[in-house]
Amino acid sequence: MDLEATYGNLCPSWALSVGYMGVASAAILSNWGSAWGTWKSGVSLINTGIRHPSSVMKNVIPIVMAGVIGIYGLIIAVILAESIPKPNVDTRENNYSIYTGMA
C-alpha cells in the first residue's frame, strides 16, 4: 500500500475550500442570527416603551445579548480560520484532510 497515494486521497486540494466554507458559514449565520435577534428585541423594546415606559431598561438586555452572539461568531470564525494549515510551499502537498474539513 503506497502511503503517498493514501495521503493524497485523504487530503485533496478541495478540502481547504470545505474548511473555509465552514469559517464563512460561522461568521455569516451567527451575524444573521444576531441581526434577527436585535430586530425582534428592538420591536419588543418599542412596544414596551409605548405600553410600559417604566420597564424599558429591562428589555435592553436581549439587544445587548444578540450583539454578543454576533461577536462570538466572529471570534469562532477567526479561530477556525487560524486552525486551517497552509499547504507545503516546496512540495505543494495539502496537510488538511477531508475529515478535518467536514468536522
Side-chain angles (χ1 to χ4, degrees):
M1 185 171 186
D2 190 13
L3 185 60
E4 261 187 55
T6 304
Y7 184 73
N9 290 336
L10 292 178
C11 299
S13 61
W14 53 267
L16 287 170
S17 62
V18 173
Y20 282 117
M21 281 192 296
V23 170
S25 65
I28 291 168
L29 293 176
S30 68
N31 285 309
W32 183 79
S34 174
W36 183 271
T38 302
W39 171 64
K40 295 296 278 182
S41 298
V43 169
S44 172
L45 180 68
I46 291 171
N47 287 335
T48 301
I50 293 170
R51 294 187 182 166
H52 308 286
S54 62
S55 63
V56 168
M57 289 309 289
K58 290 180 186 175
N59 283 353
V60 173
I61 295 171
I63 295 173
V64 173
M65 295 307 285
V68 168
I69 294 296
I71 293 169
Y72 177 72
L74 288 175
I75 292 170
I76 293 299
V78 168
I79 290 172
L80 288 175
E82 290 297 319
S83 69
I84 297 175
K86 308 289 186 270
N88 192 353
V89 177
D90 297 332
T91 60
R92 299 181 58 93
E93 286 184 355
N94 186 15
N95 302 347
Y96 197 67
S97 68
I98 299 171
Y99 173 77
T100 311
M102 298 291 183

